[in-house]
């Protein structure tokens, strides 16, 4: 569906015409990479839930190192490697995730990891109706949160695209930076979720409270440190993503100054959501996320757009994120 609908989806997002061929090329390769991306995320989640956070971390480092190495190779070409342009960046991600996934599975089976299925254990792959129902009851609202975040991102990009290629490029560069800002908060929230769930199971509620508090503190400290570094760097933080002299550099530095502090609130929200979800309560986090991102962020930005132009979009991020945290 993604391969077929890429042009229509990008048109609906009001992608500037000069960017359309590049966006289609990138998007189609990423859709081909989705099976590996999903399986990779699944295996890492299972390992973390079982208390093994080191193995996913090591293989994530491998994936990132491969991605960084292969990106320029496939974008610009070298020797027998063809020049693929922007599609090369997506292809590098595809290769990095697939190689890392394969290496991780091989490592787990060679180490005879407790969670690996062998021989007669393959019967556990049969669907258990009760377990499947429980997974659906909890999994659909939890995946709904990711869907809400993705839909919010698409809606915000459709607003950004009104302001032309330079603003779109600046926002794209900011999204790259923000993905790294979010990583520590996501990592802490995953640790909080696993640890809190184990202590909920042991009925040690005082430890659940402590885990939530420490998780919030670590999220604020790590995310705040990254934001501070970005503030000090200013436009230089975006130089790896935008060419020297590009008007997008000034726009990116400006929007970063307004919008990036929202990730402090986002980090708090993730840690608290993780604690709540560990008890099996999944609907309230979904409701809060829906209100903040779909009923506040996008309508607020759209309503203020005529008066404040692109700044309306940038200010909608900290306002909606603060609301979600509160």
């Amino acid at each position: 569906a993604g391969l077929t609908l890429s042009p229509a989806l990008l048109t609906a997002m009001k992608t500037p015409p000069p960017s359309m061929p590049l966006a289609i090329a990138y998007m189609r390769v990423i859709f081909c990479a989705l099976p590996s991306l999903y399986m990779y995320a699944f295996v890492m989640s299972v390992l973390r839930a079982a208390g093994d956070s080191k193995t996913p971390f090591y293989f994530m480092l491998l994936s990132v190192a491969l991605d960084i190495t292969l990106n320029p190779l496939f974008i610009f070409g070298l020797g027998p490697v063809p020049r693929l342009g922007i599609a090369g960046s997506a292809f590098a991600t595809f290769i990095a995730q697939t190689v890392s996934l394969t290496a991780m599975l091989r490592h787990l089976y060679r180490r005879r990891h407790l969670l690996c299925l062998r021989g007669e254990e393959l019967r556990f792959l049969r669907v258990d109706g009760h377990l499947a129902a429980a997974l659906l009851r909890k999994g659909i609202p939890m995946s709904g949160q990711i869907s809400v975040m993705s839909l919010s991102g698409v809606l915000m990009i459709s607003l950004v695209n009104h302001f032309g290629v330079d603003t779109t490029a600046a926002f794209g560069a900011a999204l790259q930076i923000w993905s790294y800002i979010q990583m520590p908060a996501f990592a802490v929230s995953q640790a909080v979720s696993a640890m809190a769930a184990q202590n909920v199971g042991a009925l040690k509620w005082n430890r659940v409270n402590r885990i939530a508090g420490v998780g919030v503190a670590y999220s604020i400290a790590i995310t705040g440190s990254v934001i501070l570094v970005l503030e000090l760097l200013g436009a230089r933080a975006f130089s790896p993503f935008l060419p020297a002299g590009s008007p997008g550099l000034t726009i990116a530095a400006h929007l970063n100054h307004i919008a990036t502090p929202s990730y402090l609130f986002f980090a708090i929200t993730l840690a608290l959501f993780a604690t709540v979800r560990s008890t099996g309560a999944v609907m309230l986090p979904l409701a809060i996320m829906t209100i903040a991102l779909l009923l506040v962020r996008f309508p607020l930005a759209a309503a203020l757009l005529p008066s404040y132009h692109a700044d309306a979009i940038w200010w909608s991020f900290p306002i909606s994120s603060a609301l979600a945290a509160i």
Side-chain angles (χ1 to χ4, degrees):
L3 289 171
T4 305
L5 296 174
S6 290
L9 290 169
L10 290 164
T11 300
M13 291 163 63
K14 298 180 175 62
T15 303
S19 303
M20 185 66 81
L22 302 173
I24 291 172
Y26 183 90
M27 198 172 188
R28 281 181 165 158
V29 177
I30 284 293
F31 272 118
C32 290
L34 283 182
S36 290
L37 290 168
Y38 282 151
M39 188 64 182
Y40 189 53
F42 168 72
V43 174
M44 289 198 295
S45 297
V46 170
L47 289 170
R48 290 193 188 104
D52 181 3
S53 59
K54 290 184 179 179
T55 301
F57 174 69
Y58 295 144
F59 283 94
M60 188 179 289
L61 286 180
L62 171 64
S63 175
V64 170
L66 283 172
D67 210 345
I68 292 171
T69 304
L70 294 176
N71 251 287
L73 192 63
F74 286 120
I75 291 173
F76 302 111
L78 180 66
V81 178
R83 181 189 179 98
L84 299 177
I86 192 65
S89 178
F91 191 62
T93 300
F94 179 21
I95 296 296
Q97 295 279 338
T98 304
V99 169
S100 188
L101 169 64
T102 305
M104 181 163 57
L105 290 174
R106 188 172 177 217
H107 167 79
L108 293 172
Y109 272 93
R110 287 184 64 186
R111 295 288 299 272
R112 303 189 68 80
H113 194 279
L114 180 67
L115 296 178
C116 292
L117 298 178
R118 301 174 190 82
E120 291 184 0
E121 294 172 340
L122 293 174
R123 71 181 188 277
F124 293 132
L125 292 175
R126 280 202 305 267
V127 176
D128 180 310
H130 294 295
L131 284 176
L135 284 170
L136 288 171
R137 281 197 305 272
K138 305 299 182 186
I140 289 175
M142 289 170 70
S143 63
Q145 291 178 45
I146 306 298
S147 299
V148 166
M149 291 172 64
S150 298
L151 177 58
S152 171
V154 169
L155 291 172
M156 299 309 288
I157 289 172
S158 70
L159 293 179
V160 170
N161 286 341
H162 282 93
F163 295 94
V165 172
D166 289 331
T167 302
T168 300
F171 187 63
L175 287 176
Q176 294 288 333
I177 295 288
W178 292 347
S179 68
Y180 292 104
I181 296 176
Q182 294 176 67
M183 280 182 184
F186 274 116
V188 170
S189 72
Q190 288 168 350
V192 166
S193 182
M195 294 171 69
Q198 289 161 3
N199 283 279
V200 168
L203 299 179
K204 296 182 178 179
W205 290 99
N206 61 320
R207 292 182 67 181
V208 175
N209 289 335
R210 285 184 58 208
I211 289 164
V214 172
V216 168
Y218 267 91
S219 292
I220 291 173
I222 299 171
T223 306
S225 299
V226 177
I227 290 172
L228 180 61
V229 170
L230 286 175
E231 283 293 319
L232 293 174
L233 287 173
R236 287 173 293 174
F238 300 93
S239 56
F241 308 102
L242 296 166
S246 167
L249 283 169
T250 304
I251 298 169
H254 174 68
L255 76 88
N256 184 67
H257 182 68
I258 297 172
T260 301
S262 67
Y263 286 97
L264 271 178
F265 299 114
F266 183 70
I268 296 169
T269 305
L270 280 183
L272 295 178
F273 278 4
T275 310
V276 172
R277 282 201 307 267
S278 71
T279 69
V282 292
M283 293 307 297
L284 192 59
L286 174 60
I288 291 171
M289 192 72 77
T290 302
I291 291 168
L293 299 188
L294 298 184
L295 301 184
V296 174
R297 178 175 292 181
F298 177 73
L300 179 67
L304 296 179
L305 212 61
S307 301
Y308 295 95
H309 309 292
D311 276 2
I313 302 171
W314 317 144
W315 277 109
S316 71
F317 281 88
I319 292 170
S320 58
S321 296
L323 174 66
I326 291 166

